[in-house]
Structures are given as structure tokens and as C-alpha cells.
Amino acid sequence: MPANILATNRISLFLIFLYLSLLLLRRQHQRKYNIFSFKSYIFALQNESARKYVLHRKRVEMKLGIRPILDAGRPKVYIETYGCQMNVNDSEVILSILQDEGYALTENIEEASIILANTCSIRDNAEQRIWGRIEQFRLQKRKRDGVIIGIMGCMAERLKDKLLEGKVVDLVAGPDSYRNLPEMIREIKAKQEPQMHVQLSKDETYAEISPVRLDKNGISAFISIMRGCNNCCSYCVVPYTRGPERSRDPFSIVREAEEVYANGYKEVNLLGQNVDKYFWKDLEDADHTVNFAQLLEMVAKVDPGMRVRFSTSYPSDISDEVIETMARYDNICKHIHLPVQSGSDHMLEKMRRKYNREWYLNRVDKIREVIPDCGITTDVIAGFCGETEQDHKDTLSLMEQVGYDSAFMFAYSNRPGTLASRKYEDDIPYEVKTARLNEIIALQNRMSLKSNERELGKIVEVLVEGPSKRNPEQLCGRASNNKMCVFPNGGHKVGDYVMVKVESCTSATLICSLV
Ligand code: 5AD
Ligand code: SF4
């Protein structure tokens, strides 16, 4: 054979081999990333984050199902939720798991075969209320055979088998044990014996479980982005009941936000005990990380028509990057909940908060410099161990200096097992605690009124939540800075955005006209 033909044949063979290898490579990638159109294959290869996203979609198979199933034929579960927004979201996860197991939600305890309380341990009075409710749940057990009573969440985690003493309840499940519920229920039925699971986890985030939404209005959804807390503030029981900090993968968070938006929700609330510590690292690629500011941006980009809120921020962890990201996106609401707890450096140190008064005030200055009209709210504790009159005055003066828009205010409650409970005496008499708390509340009421008066004459965008509670002829909804607005019903629907003008106010509400 002439040399030139031999060479051409070799080149052809080489090209065929190259073509077949490329086909094989593409096929392998398609399998790996679960993409079958050539266009999306090229897109995924070109775009690193899209590639990760596609890969993740394959891994995270979320179960769809936004609203509760109301099926008369199914056995019924009744759920009562206490405490924070995290608990509301956890109840939504619990319902999702139980719906998969064949149960349907009921709001009528009389027809429930499973009665659950998702509980809170943060203060003693929260637990006392739940003990009272357990007594009432037990009446249902006397009325019907086979009723199961379960205590879920923080109180389950804190009290563990104490809740099973005297067979007061049948089921005890801590915040990381919800996946075990179906099996526990089956065991209770089969063996007629109580069941407990309270093991805390380093990595449980319920990432792929799509919560069944329990909110009434269908426009504002909670999305947990992380669980647990590593902060160990000396008064707080949360690190013991909810375990160590762990962040949920960002792709399942974005996907959940997309899912709720596609189902008509207009606002997502990203939840965590300390959202500023959100941090996700790709196990397959250590260089690929996502912090809270980046997550906020990813969620804000789902759609400009979807509002994004978040809580709770921690004063020494909230970064400039977070504040600047908020400023860049119109749909990230201009509100930061920044618990201060006390205005006294001495108390802050004893509380094991990781900042002092000066640091806190600097953070507030930074927020106001970047977002001048940002709503700032806080939590305050009155009467912590050893608090002097001067410490209390420092709290009042800090509150006045910041001029909070609103605040959650509490009397210190000693929680067994916490550092404060072990190390310090709960020495502020009840009357003194109450008097200080009342003084703090009175000051905040005056400041809330002042803060609302600063809004007079402004035109703000409001997301319609529904009829006003006081006057059902009027509508209500929140402005971006979280202030509640009431305005005339101009035929708007729940979930519409409406421009209103602030005409007058009380300390709790802005009274507005339509513009
Ligand atoms: N006593 C009173 N208030 C408490 N908080 C947390 N632990 C306690 C306690 N032992 C408050 C803090 C926190 C909020 C969620 O509850 O202000 O920010
Ligand atoms: Fe409790 Fe402090 Fe963690 Fe908040 S940051 S949950 S107050 S330990």
C-alpha cells in the first residue's frame, strides 16, 4: 500500500478513536450529572456552579408537597407548636415525614390518633405551659383507645426519660430524631411500650425533606438554613437541646425557595440560631464554599419578586459582606434582628456574649451607614445573675442610643444545666426582675412610637398578608423594614405588593392610605 494511503488510514482510525472516546466521555458525564440534552451538557461543563447545581439536583431528591393533606380516610395527627420560628419549621418537617407514613393533619384534637407537642425549653414558663397541656392531652387518651401522645423538640431533649416516668406520654423525640418517628410509632403500636429517641447529630439538617407548610396565609415560608448553636451563651439552653451548629447545603435551600415561590409564596424567612455562622463546604471540592452573604445572594436571585428575610444575627459575627449584600438587592428586606441581651459590658461578659457595648454600637453604625432606613430589632434579658442597678441603667441607655424599632424582652429564667445555672446564683429577686423588665418594656414602647413617627409621610411598599385583625374591612401587611402597616382594601389580594403612604401611627402599627 502506498505510504500516503497508509498515513490517511491511520489518521482516519485515530479520528474515529478520538470521536468514540469523546462520545464515551460525554456519556459518562451525562450519567454523572444526570443531564441528557447536549445544550445543558455544554452549559454545565462551561459553568462550574451550574455543574455543581446539576450534580446536586441528582443527589438531593426533594419530595414535593406544599400544603397539608386533608384526607378524611387517613388516620389523623394533631400538632401543637411552641416557641420560635425554628420550631414552626420543624413541625412542618414532622408533618412531611408523617404524611409519607400515611397520616393526615387535623386541627381537631378530638379526632387525632397521634397528638404531638413540639416544645420549647428556653424559659421555665414555656415548659410549665406544656406540662399543663400534657394533662389535657391525656384526657383524649381516656376518651379513645390507641391515642399516642408525643413530646418533640427541646423539652424532649432536655428532660428525656423524665417525660416517660409514670407513662405520662408515649413518645419522646428530640430535634434530630424526627426521621425515626414512623418507626417509633410502629413500635409503640406493636409493643404497647413508650419510645424515646433523643440522640443529637453533628450533621442532620433534614435537607431533602420538603416541609409541609403550616402557615395560614400562604405567602411567607420559613426555610431552615442551619441547625444548632456553638455559641454557648451562659444563660441559654439551646446548645444543649439543639446540639452543635451545622449548615444545610445551599442547593437544597435554593431549591426549596424556588419551590415555595412557584407555589405562590412571596417571601422566604431564612432561619438559624446564628445565621452569620452559616458555612457550607463542598465535600468533593474543598475550594467550593458558601458563606451566609453568598447564600443570601443565591436566594435573592431566585426571583426579584420574592422577598428574603432572615434571623437571627449575632452581633460579633454579622459581616460587612452580609450588610452590603442586603443593600445590593431590593428584595432582601431591610431588617436585622440583632439581639443585644444587655447594655452592660460586665453582664455581656458574664453572659459569654462575644462582644461588648462598643462593638455592638459600631455594628449598628455600620448597618445605618450602609442601609440608612434598616429596621433594627433586638432581644433583651432583665435581671441576669448579679445585675446591678447600674448594669440595668446601661441596658436602658444602650436601648435609647440605638433607638430600636421593636424588641423581645424577657426576665432571666434559670435553666438547669447551663453554665450560668452551675456558676452563678440567680440572685435578683422576682420583684426586682419584674420591675426592671417593666421599665425596659415601657422604654421600648416609647421608642417604638418614636420610630413609627419617623415613618410619617413616607411611601412604602407592603406585601399584603390579609385582613387587619382590628378592622377586617382593612388590609394589613409588612413593609421591608418589618413594620406592620394597615391600609384600606383597594381590592388587593393576599400576596400583592401595594404602595402605601404612612398617615399616622401607634407604637405597634403604621396607619396608611393607598397611593
Ligand atoms: N432567660 C431569659 N431569656 C432567655 N433567652 C434565652 N435564654 C434565656 C433565659 N435563660 C432569650 C434571649 C434570646 C431569646 C431567644 O431568648 O434573649 O435571644
Ligand atoms: Fe442561645 Fe446564644 Fe446560641 Fe442564641 S447565640 S441560641 S442565645 S447560645
Side-chain angles (χ1 to χ4, degrees):
M1 201 180 285
N4 58 343
I5 295 183
L6 203 63
T8 313
N9 275 352
R10 279 204 186 125
I11 291 170
S12 308
L13 274 173
F14 175 71
L15 285 175
I16 290 168
F17 173 72
L18 195 68
Y19 178 66
L20 287 175
S21 306
L22 279 172
L23 272 185
L24 192 69
L25 203 67
R26 186 189 138 197
R27 183 83 197 124
Q28 278 173 351
H29 270 81
Q30 283 179 329
R31 283 230 177 93
K32 188 170 172 200
Y33 303 133
N34 210 20
I35 35 183
F36 294 98
S37 91
F38 190 68
K39 208 170 140 200
S40 60
Y41 166 65
I42 293 294
F43 176 69
L45 277 187
Q46 280 171 344
N47 184 323
E48 179 67 4
S49 63
R51 185 180 74 76
K52 297 255 179 254
Y53 189 60
V54 171
L55 177 59
H56 216 87
R57 284 200 167 208
K58 185 182 171 197
R59 239 186 276 134
V60 180
E61 261 190 32
M62 295 184 75
K63 299 169 197 155
L64 296 180
I66 287 276
R67 311 302 311 175
I69 294 174
L70 302 169
D71 177 345
R74 288 179 170 219
K76 301 288 181 299
V77 55
Y78 171 90
I79 309 178
E80 246 171 47
T81 306
Y82 295 84
C84 61
Q85 295 173 337
M86 274 310 258
N87 263 13
V88 176
N89 190 236
D90 275 8
S91 291
E92 296 178 329
V93 168
I94 292 169
L95 181 58
S96 177
I97 291 167
L98 291 182
Q99 278 192 179
D100 282 355
E101 189 62 15
Y103 290 89
L105 182 72
T106 178
E107 289 183 2
N108 177 7
I109 195 168
E110 302 281 338
E111 61 174 18
S113 50
I114 300 183
I115 299 171
L116 300 177
N118 192 8
T119 60
C120 172
S121 285
I122 201 127
R123 282 167 291 276
D124 185 53
N125 54 11
E127 285 193 356
Q128 293 313 323
R129 269 178 71 199
I130 292 156
W131 279 116
R133 280 304 284 160
I134 292 175
E135 281 310 306
Q136 285 163 332
F137 294 164
R138 284 168 59 81
L139 293 180
Q140 298 297 319
K141 239 175 146 48
R142 275 180 233 139
K143 284 189 195 165
R144 295 188 303 286
D145 282 342
V147 171
I148 293 175
I149 298 178
I151 299 298
M152 329 286 292
C154 290
M155 199 169 155
E157 194 62 51
R158 199 180 82 76
L159 296 175
K160 300 185 173 64
D161 41 4
K162 260 197 202 148
L163 284 161
L164 296 180
E165 277 167 19
K167 297 207 173 172
V168 179
V169 303
D170 308 287
L171 189 156
V172 175
D176 291 339
S177 306
Y178 303 144
R179 287 180 202 269
N180 299 69
L181 282 175
E183 202 191 323
M184 292 168 83
I185 291 168
R186 271 181 250 131
E187 290 281 293
I188 293 170
K189 285 183 178 166
K191 299 185 181 154
Q192 299 293 310
E193 269 178 21
Q195 296 290 315
M196 178 172 80
H197 195 290
V198 287
Q199 188 75 42
L200 287 172
S201 153
K202 285 201 306 295
D203 44 34
E204 175 63 274
T205 59
Y206 301 111
E208 84 295 0
I209 296 177
S210 222
V212 173
R213 306 284 158 193
L214 287 169
D215 60 281
K216 294 271 185 270
N217 63 19
I219 58 151
S220 186
F222 297 128
I223 301 184
S224 286
I225 62 165
M226 58 193 300
R227 298 179 74 81
C229 182
N230 284 356
N231 270 351
C232 291
C233 302
S234 64
Y235 52 81
C236 185
V237 78
V238 167
Y240 307 94
T241 59
R242 287 193 158 263
E245 224 163 64
R246 60 221 107 119
S247 296
R248 178 177 167 190
D249 79 85
F251 308 105
S252 72
I253 295 170
V254 169
R255 185 160 175 192
E256 197 175 321
E258 287 171 348
E259 181 189 306
V260 293
Y261 189 66
N263 277 274
Y265 283 77
K266 292 290 175 62
E267 186 174 90
V268 292
N269 270 282
L270 307 181
L271 300 179
Q273 241 73 44
N274 177 3
V275 289
D276 302 298
K277 291 281 275 301
Y278 177 87
F279 188 75
W280 181 82
K281 193 153 92 182
D282 189 342
L283 292 177
E284 289 165 17
D285 174 0
D287 294 336
H288 190 219
T289 60
V290 177
N291 66 18
F292 181 56
Q294 291 160 335
L295 178 74
L296 255 185
E297 180 158 30
M298 287 167 77
V299 178
K301 278 181 172 166
V302 166
D303 196 288
M306 185 184 77
R307 279 181 168 186
V308 184
R309 296 186 183 276
F310 58 90
S311 77
T312 300
S313 302
Y314 189 89
S316 53
D317 294 326
I318 186 168
S319 64
D320 290 357
E321 196 188 349
V322 166
I323 301 168
E324 279 148 15
T325 305
M326 286 177 76
R328 268 206 316 281
Y329 287 88
D330 283 344
N331 60 329
I332 303 182
C333 289
K334 306 299 179 265
H335 168 227
I336 299 178
H337 187 63
L338 198 64
V340 67
Q341 315 298 1
S342 170
S344 147
D345 279 349
H346 179 224
M347 285 294 108
L348 288 173
E349 204 186 320
K350 254 178 124 172
M351 287 174 165
R352 300 254 166 141
R353 301 289 283 181
K354 295 175 188 153
Y355 54 89
N356 59 19
R357 182 185 173 104
E358 189 189 352
W359 175 282
Y360 187 92
L361 291 171
N362 278 339
R363 285 287 79 191
V364 170
D365 286 347
K366 176 71 188 182
I367 294 167
R368 297 229 161 107
E369 177 197 317
V370 180
I371 315 169
D373 50 358
C374 191
I376 302 182
T377 56
T378 200
D379 293 345
V380 180
I381 299 177
F384 184 58
C385 312
E387 186 187 68
T388 61
E389 251 331 289
Q390 185 55 48
D391 293 324
H392 170 58
K393 287 210 171 82
D394 288 348
T395 297
L396 295 173
S397 77
L398 178 132
M399 290 174 73
E400 223 155 350
Q401 209 168 328
V402 176
Y404 291 109
D405 297 289
S406 72
F408 295 107
M409 297 152 285
F410 314 101
Y412 169 64
S413 165
N414 177 33
R415 305 313 292 132
T418 58
L419 184 75
S421 170
R422 280 180 273 129
K423 213 171 154 194
Y424 308 123
E425 197 188 335
D426 180 14
D427 55 354
I428 308 301
Y430 174 78
E431 302 73 40
V432 178
K433 264 186 204 169
T434 313
R436 287 180 186 169
L437 178 62
N438 287 341
E439 213 178 329
I440 287 170
I441 293 172
L443 171 65
Q444 184 52 50
N445 283 343
R446 292 198 297 280
M447 287 191 323
S448 298
L449 181 63
K450 265 197 203 164
S451 146
N452 283 352
E453 282 169 353
R454 286 195 291 273
E455 301 292 302
L456 294 179
K458 285 191 190 165
I459 291 175
V460 294
E461 188 183 56
V462 170
L463 176 60
V464 180
E465 282 181 18
S468 151
K469 284 197 190 91
R470 285 243 174 115
N471 177 359
E473 305 280 287
Q474 302 236 310
L475 293 175
C476 71
R478 286 180 191 276
S480 169
N481 61 6
N482 211 35
K483 287 185 187 283
M484 180 52 89
C485 301
V486 171
F487 47 94
N489 188 340
H492 301 99
K493 297 185 300 298
V494 171
D496 283 351
Y497 287 105
V498 186
M499 298 307 289
V500 299
K501 183 174 177 202
V502 185
E503 303 286 358
S504 61
C505 66
T506 65
S507 62
T509 315
L510 302 178
I511 296 143
C512 309
S513 60
L514 296 171
V515 291

